[in-house]
Amino acid sequence: MSRCRWSCLIALLAASVGHAMAGDHIALVGGTLIDGLGAPPIQDSVVLIDGERITAIGTQSNLPVPSNYRVISTEGMSVLPGLWDMHVHLMLNGHSDYTHWDKTYLNRLADEIMPASAEQLLLAGVTSARDLGAPLEASLSTRQRIRDGIIPGPRLFISGPFIQKKPYPGTEAFRWGVADAKDARRKVQQLAAAGVDVIKLIDQDEMSDDEVAAVVDEAHQHQLPVVAHAHRPEEIRIGLKYGVDNFEHTGLATAPEYPDDVIRAIRERTAQMSKGPLFWTPTVEGLYNYDYVRDHPEALDNNCWQRGLKPDTIADIQQSIAHPEQIGYFQITPLRKVTLARKIEQLRQSGVVLMIGTDSGIPLKFHCQSTWNELDIWVRVMGISPMEAIRGATWWPAVMMKQTSDLGSISVGKYADIVAVKGDVLRYIDLLQRVDLVMKSGKVYKLDGAPVDTATATP
């Protein structure tokens, strides 16, 4: 068969799958609706969905369900916007040895690893995700196949490769170094031309001021936000100086808190209303829960993380995490754990907007488990209210990524990206570990706690 005939067949199959997955007319009836905007929950709610979008919201007493709508009961359930995870790594899936993983799986990222990670996230209730750091072509391909309905996954917002001063040996496929300010601009221009959604900057304290300024300025000229690491005080200082939009991680290793001058600089930035919020993705779950996972490794046996992976990949990951206590990645983590609450407190008092992000894919941290665990630590340990935590996983990410016209809340006219869980999630946030309903663009991917055949996306 000619190349043209193959491409035409693939296009027809993609179109037919997309048509078969159309949600048509669906009514979600009976649940407690948490809209993502912070409004009081709506009891006995009714949400009407026509195709991809929400057409009406009300209650069983004031919004009748038309006879041509398929009813999905949400009685006894919390209904909320599809979750966002603002820091995932689709190219990783919990393996403990990055050097081995990068060498072994680079050529399997696009066809196996990233699609598997995407589906695992979606079935965990993550309907939008920001993928930070992966080879450009694999990132673009995965995002496009999800958009075309060829593979299931969340709406992807991608950075492609990291931008840094010099890539670590063996990571050149997904870490781009810069020689000088002109080269920094060229690299950002290349990413912008390819169609990335965000620029990821790391180790910016190893770059010159001119290079950091060039990255941020060029990104902003292309209407791209800049996300930067906050592992070291100088990374934060130089990032604030040149206008980074979103910092990642709590950072600072075992230091008990952020230095006073850093906190003053953050407060000065958050006081400038004309610049909008300063966003921060603290990614605390992977650190806080490490020793629990080490001592209670039952979660590692949950085969949800194996979905979509080949047997040899699964075996390789299992072998690498057989002894969690020996993983070098977490060597000082128990010492860092005790600093997290204070750093979160400092950030909140300084006026930053916190968003849910997990670093999902790092050793021991799987895409099917990370997001709900982050929400749980925010609420149970960090003292953040369930409503604020949910907004950090729904509304604020949509604000940050300029998607509020379509996403971030359950509102008339927006995409029907909706999840539901049995019980009161505002009282028991960890109910999100068992998402019963997952809908994206009106298409049902999970119902009654079980994945739906994604070839038809109907029960």
Side-chain angles (χ1 to χ4, degrees):
M1 183 177 287
S2 70
R3 180 179 301 177
C4 179
R5 291 178 65 192
W6 273 118
S7 63
C8 292
L9 178 60
I10 291 170
L12 285 170
L13 286 172
S16 65
V17 169
H19 177 73
M21 290 175 66
D24 203 13
H25 298 89
I26 295 176
L28 305 180
V29 179
T32 298
L33 175 64
I34 302 163
D35 66 6
L37 298 171
I42 300 173
Q43 308 294 326
D44 301 318
S45 66
V46 175
V47 181
L48 300 184
I49 299 153
D50 185 354
E52 294 185 330
R53 294 185 182 266
I54 299 165
T55 56
I57 298 169
T59 67
Q60 289 176 279
S61 64
N62 63 25
L63 181 59
V65 177
S67 60
N68 62 330
Y69 275 66
R70 179 165 67 95
V71 173
I72 296 177
S73 175
T74 54
E75 289 285 351
M77 304 174 76
S78 298
V79 180
L80 57 155
L83 303 176
W84 289 63
D85 194 317
M86 292 294 276
H87 191 130
V88 303
H89 294 291
L90 294 187
M91 67 170 286
L92 304 174
N93 206 311
H95 198 287
S96 69
D97 186 342
Y98 283 165
T99 301
H100 167 80
W101 183 267
D102 295 342
K103 179 175 63 176
T104 305
Y105 294 96
L106 183 63
N107 294 328
R108 292 167 66 167
L109 296 181
D111 294 332
E112 177 192 357
I113 306 303
M114 296 179 76
S117 299
E119 184 175 17
Q120 291 166 20
L121 280 165
L122 181 61
L123 293 179
V126 177
T127 58
S128 297
R130 196 170 64 181
D131 185 48
L132 299 177
L136 181 57
E137 292 305 319
S139 297
L140 293 167
S141 171
T142 303
R143 185 183 66 181
Q144 191 61 49
R145 282 177 288 160
I146 291 172
R147 288 178 176 176
D148 292 342
I150 297 171
I151 60 174
R155 302 174 189 280
L156 280 189
F157 299 85
I158 63 172
S159 71
F162 303 97
I163 297 290
Q164 61 188 114
K165 181 59 182 175
K166 186 176 181 180
Y168 313 148
T171 68
E172 292 81 3
F174 53 91
R175 294 175 182 270
W176 288 2
V178 298
D180 51 35
K182 288 185 178 179
D183 188 42
R185 287 190 182 275
R186 282 194 295 268
K187 295 290 170 52
V188 174
Q189 290 166 1
Q190 184 176 347
L191 292 171
V196 302
D197 305 288
V198 63
I199 298 298
K200 174 69 181 290
L201 180 63
I202 70 170
D203 294 345
Q204 60 269 19
D205 55 344
E206 297 177 2
M207 301 168 71
S208 70
D209 279 34
D210 287 346
E211 290 165 347
V212 176
V215 169
V216 177
D217 179 67
E218 193 65 35
H220 287 172
Q221 287 191 39
H222 288 87
Q223 307 302 310
L224 295 174
V226 178
V227 177
H229 272 182
H231 283 311
R232 298 179 293 275
E234 194 58 29
E235 281 190 303
I236 303 172
R237 294 183 183 112
I238 195 169
L240 289 170
K241 183 177 180 180
Y242 292 108
V244 161
D245 303 285
N246 180 185
F247 287 95
E248 304 289 297
H249 313 302
T250 51
L252 278 70
T254 60
E257 60 183 10
Y258 295 106
D260 290 342
D261 74 293
V262 168
I263 293 300
R264 285 195 300 271
I266 293 172
R267 289 176 174 171
E268 289 174 4
R269 165 60 183 83
T270 59
Q272 299 178 56
M273 293 181 62
S274 63
K275 293 184 176 181
L278 175 63
F279 294 96
W280 209 290
T281 317
T283 68
V284 293
E285 182 272 325
L287 299 173
Y288 194 91
N289 279 336
Y290 163 68
D291 54 0
Y292 181 86
V293 173
R294 178 197 63 200
D295 299 338
H296 304 84
E298 293 84 4
L300 303 180
D301 296 328
N302 186 332
N303 64 7
C304 66
W305 63 263
Q306 300 177 16
R307 188 177 182 89
L309 297 176
K310 295 179 179 179
D312 63 325
T313 307
I314 295 169
D316 192 9
I317 295 170
Q318 288 174 323
Q319 183 278 328
S320 81
I321 62 175
H323 297 283
E325 73 283 356
Q326 298 177 13
I327 298 176
Y329 185 92
F330 295 105
Q331 185 175 6
I332 65 170
T333 292
L335 300 176
R336 297 180 65 185
K337 176 179 178 177
V338 297
T339 74
L340 297 176
R342 172 57 180 156
K343 290 170 182 172
I344 292 289
E345 179 186 32
Q346 285 182 290
L347 291 174
R348 294 181 72 198
Q349 291 177 346
S350 299
V352 304
V353 173
L354 296 181
M355 299 184 298
I356 290 291
T358 61
D359 228 0
S360 188
I362 65 173
L364 303 179
K365 301 302 170 184
F366 300 115
H367 302 294
C368 59
Q369 300 173 346
S370 296
T371 309
W372 81 262
N373 270 303
E374 183 79 11
L375 282 154
D376 176 61
I377 295 303
W378 277 35
V379 174
R380 183 169 54 85
V381 178
M382 303 301 168
I384 297 172
S385 74
M387 186 67 82
E388 183 181 347
I390 289 170
R391 282 169 56 79
T394 55
W395 175 250
W396 286 119
V399 172
M400 200 268 151
M401 298 305 298
K402 296 181 171 56
Q403 298 293 315
T404 54
S405 62
D406 289 321
L407 302 169
S409 66
I410 298 178
S411 303
V412 172
K414 293 190 179 184
Y415 285 120
D417 286 16
I418 298 172
V419 299
V421 296
K422 294 176 181 176
D424 184 358
V425 76
L426 293 178
R427 185 171 184 180
Y428 304 109
I429 196 72
D430 62 346
L431 290 172
L432 285 167
Q433 68 187 285
R434 298 183 184 89
V435 177
D436 293 280
L437 169 72
V438 177
M439 173 184 286
K440 191 186 80 168
S441 290
K443 303 166 189 175
V444 178
Y445 288 87
K446 195 174 187 181
L447 187 65
D448 296 328
V452 168
D453 181 1
T454 54
T456 61
T458 56

